[in-house]
Each structure stands twice: as structure tokens, then as C-alpha cells.
Amino acid sequence: MSVIQDQDFGELHFDGIWQGVCEVVFLGRRLEVELVIQTFDDAPISQTQRLAYREFVANKASICAQVEEAILKHYLDHLCAYRACFDAHEVDARAPSVREVEGMRDLVCLRCIKVMYAFDEGVRQVGFIGDATFDPELGLGVLVTNGFVEAVDTQDFLLG
């Protein structure tokens, strides 16, 4: 395993993937979560990925607020389906009826911020990957593209 001190990402460890730590305030909690910079075939971190992370750091509060709102909207859009997956004794704990972002605090646990591989020039993408009580098997993923939420789904679309 190699360790470097990177000008943008701080201390990074490489053991097949670049990993570090990222501090965010998410759903009202200050967290240190895993930071992953996605590369392929031992390629270096690209300038587009650096720009994506710089943009994220510079706008962390507003991007996190967008992600929180998008998660709430996604949750409310799928609430009936989520609630149908649980027995009567656990449904209100796993998939309660909430109407505010603050209500998501006990339902979603952010695990990772992932700076996505830059397949297209100028497309800066950061993924938020988390666990969710309402989808314990597949969790939750949010893709932020060029500073705006593009997609919310199960986390698998960000894990590749």
C-alpha cells in the first residue's frame, strides 16, 4: 500500500483504489467519511476529478443541502413501496412517514464520498453513498454532476 499527501485530497492511501477521509456536515451531523477517487488501470487522478473535488469542497454546504433535499424527495416518491417491504411491527421504524429533511437523519447513514472517474471531459461528478433503513440491502446513492444533483437511486449505480 502506498501513501501520498495530495494537494487537493490530503492524505491518500492506494491499495487498488485511492482512499482518504472527507469531512462533511450531512443531515445535521458533522461526519468523517471515506473518500474514494475512482481510477482505472492504475491511471493517475485526472484534472477533471481534481476540479470536481475542488468544486465540492468550495460548495460543500450547498451541495450537501441539495443532496439532502433530493434524498427526501426520492424517499417520499417511493415511500409506499418502501413501507410495503416491512412487517407492521417494524414499518414505522424502518420507513416512517416523514416530511422534512431532519426526519431523514435516523434513516440514512452516509458512508462514502466518491469522486467519479471522468469519462467525459468537463463532466465533474461526485457520488454520495450511504446505508438506508428503508433499503437495507441496496442502500442509497446520489450522483452530483457539475455541482447539481443528477440522480438518486440505490447505491449500486455508483459502486462500479
Side-chain angles (χ1 to χ4, degrees):
M1 175 189 319
S2 62
V3 178
I4 64 166
Q5 187 65 36
D6 185 87
Q7 64 187 15
D8 293 308
F9 301 101
E11 185 175 294
L12 292 176
H13 303 263
F14 186 81
D15 192 10
I17 59 171
W18 289 107
Q19 294 177 289
V21 175
C22 180
E23 186 176 297
V24 295
V25 175
F26 190 74
L27 295 172
R29 294 184 179 136
R30 182 171 304 282
L31 306 170
E32 282 190 356
V33 297
E34 179 183 26
L35 172 67
V36 171
I37 299 93
Q38 181 182 37
T39 58
F40 294 103
D41 301 325
D42 296 330
I45 298 168
S46 73
Q47 185 61 23
T48 303
Q49 288 175 297
R50 291 183 180 285
L51 292 173
Y53 190 68
R54 288 177 196 156
E55 177 179 57
F56 169 68
V57 169
N59 302 295
K60 200 181 285 189
S62 65
I63 289 172
C64 285
Q66 284 182 58
V67 170
E68 292 167 354
E69 290 289 338
I71 288 171
L72 176 62
K73 182 181 180 326
H74 174 83
Y75 179 71
L76 293 175
D77 288 348
H78 297 87
L79 184 58
C80 290
Y82 289 137
R83 288 180 66 82
C85 294
F86 298 104
D87 294 331
H89 71 280
E90 64 183 348
V91 70
D92 287 330
R94 298 280 204 151
S97 295
V98 299
R99 297 287 173 226
E100 309 262 334
V101 167
E102 293 77 21
M104 300 303 295
R105 183 174 294 136
D106 294 331
L107 305 180
V108 176
C109 180
L110 183 63
R111 296 287 181 210
C112 176
I113 300 289
K114 183 175 185 179
V115 181
M116 307 301 289
Y117 181 79
F119 287 104
D120 298 317
E121 191 173 325
V123 178
R124 302 173 310 279
Q125 295 182 313
V126 175
F128 285 64
I129 300 169
D131 296 331
T133 62
F134 49 88
D135 196 340
E137 290 182 24
L138 299 176
L140 192 64
V142 181
L143 180 63
V144 176
T145 301
N146 296 341
F148 296 96
V149 172
E150 179 179 332
V152 181
D153 207 335
T154 57
Q155 62 182 246
D156 60 339
F157 84 105
L158 297 176
L159 296 178

